Every structure is written in C-alpha cells, then in structure tokens.
Amino acid sequence: MPSTGPDSLLCPLITPTPRTPSTLASTHRPAYVPRSADPSALAYSFTVPGDPRSATVVRATVRSVLRTHGLTAMEEPALSVAGELVACATRFAPGQDLYHSLRWQEGALRIVNWDAHHAHSDPRQAAHCTACRKRTLLLLAAVVHECRGTWGISKPGSTTEGTRIWASLPLDGGA
C-alpha cells in the first residue's frame, strides 16, 4: 500500500531516513529552504503572456523577489521599469510569450525582458521600429536615469531571436 505521509511526496528513489523521537529533531529538514536575503543570490526567470494584464503579475513577482532579498528600497523604480517593459513588449509582440529575468550583478538589479518581435530585414524599417520602442520607453529611460542606471535594446540577430530590452538599477541609485 502506498504511503500517504509527508515522505510520500519525495522522489520514489529517495530512501527516507527512519524517524524516531530521538532522531526526528536531528534529521528533519523542511521541504523548502528559503533563499538567502543576500542580494547576490537573486536570480529569477519567468514567462508571462503578451497581454497588458500581465503587468500586474510581473510587478507582483518583482515586488516579492525584492522583499525576499532585502531590497525594498529599490521597489518603486524596479516596479516602474518592469511595468514599462511589459507595456512595450505587449505593443510589439501582442499575444506572444514574454520572458523576464531578474538578476543581481555587480551591485545592481538587472531586469531583462525578451519578446518575440523579430528583426526587420529592411534597415529603415528596423531603425523606425527601434525608434518607436525608444519613444514607448521614455518613462523607463527617465526612471533609469534618475537611478543612475543604464538600459538598452539589444539588436535582434535573426528573425527567430526576438528583441531583448534590459535595465540595470544600481543599489545606491535605486534606493
């Protein structure tokens, strides 16, 4: 008969340690070990639908990540940046998946958004498209500037690579 206790949730290849009252305290490990509040452990990636309503999910996720890692002072600029990235991506790749990445690199929060909008083969169309994205991201640019950060749009390499926009918010400027 299959076990229905807490150990039944483990991989069937794992042999659980027998639990007796004397060993229970020394062998018990929680099912989930929270990540460190240290920002250097911050590394998250997730995908949301290319829909304007996804901004709510992205902002809630960013807020949760920042609070988990003790970076509440950076909440407002990071939430603004994340929301602007979703707004822009849903305009250029509506209905397509949007990939987000949050990383701590060299004392800064790096937020990356990737969407499936591909490169234009005509250089004039590509330049026009990039200029439209930059106009769409004026609020993002202002927030990043105020935080003494950097941002950019990576050039798509082929028709399947999509477009990646990133922003880096330093801790001292973001707070």
Side-chain angles (χ1 to χ4, degrees), residues 1 7 26-27 31 36-37 48 59 72 78 89 97 141 152 154 161 165 170-171:
M1 175 172 238
D7 290 336
S26 63
T27 61
S36 167
V48 295
R59 289 171 57 93
T72 56
D97 285 346
S154 298
E161 282 189 24
I165 303 175
L171 180 59

Side-chain angles (χ1 to χ4, degrees), residues 14-38:
I14 297 173
T15 306
T17 306
R19 295 183 182 200
T20 63
S22 63
T23 63
L24 187 58
S26 63
T27 61
H28 176 70
R29 285 181 278 158
Y32 170 73
V33 178
R35 295 188 81 155
S36 167
D38 177 13

Side-chain angles (χ1 to χ4, degrees), residues 4 12 23 28-29 41 44 60-62 74 81-82 84 96 112-113 118 137 139 142 146 155 157 159 173:
T4 58
T23 63
H28 176 70
R29 285 181 278 158
Y44 297 85
T61 303
V62 170
M74 298 184 77
V81 167
E84 290 301 304
Q96 301 201 28
V112 178
N113 179 80
H118 58 79
L137 293 167
L139 179 59
E146 282 296 312
K155 288 185 177 181
T159 58

Side-chain angles (χ1 to χ4, degrees), residues 73-136:
M74 298 184 77
E75 249 183 62
E76 288 308 312
L79 294 177
S80 293
V81 167
E84 290 301 304
L85 289 172
V86 172
C88 180
T90 58
R91 180 175 178 205
F92 285 85
Q96 301 201 28
D97 285 346
L98 309 177
Y99 168 80
H100 292 272
S101 172
L102 305 166
R103 301 274 184 270
W104 189 256
Q105 294 179 335
E106 301 172 8
L109 176 66
R110 184 169 172 90
I111 304 173
V112 178
N113 179 80
W114 176 88
D115 65 57
H117 185 74
H118 58 79
H120 296 279
S121 56
D122 179 0
R124 286 181 296 175
Q125 287 178 341
H128 176 72
C129 188
T130 299
C132 279
R133 274 195 194 257
K134 287 181 178 180
R135 279 193 307 277
T136 301

Side-chain angles (χ1 to χ4, degrees), residues 4 7-8 55 74 101 122-123 138 140-141 144-145 151-152 158 164-167:
T4 58
D7 290 336
S8 66
M74 298 184 77
S101 172
D122 179 0
L138 286 176
L140 175 139
V144 171
H145 176 75
W151 75 282
S158 71
R164 184 173 60 100
I165 303 175
W166 57 271

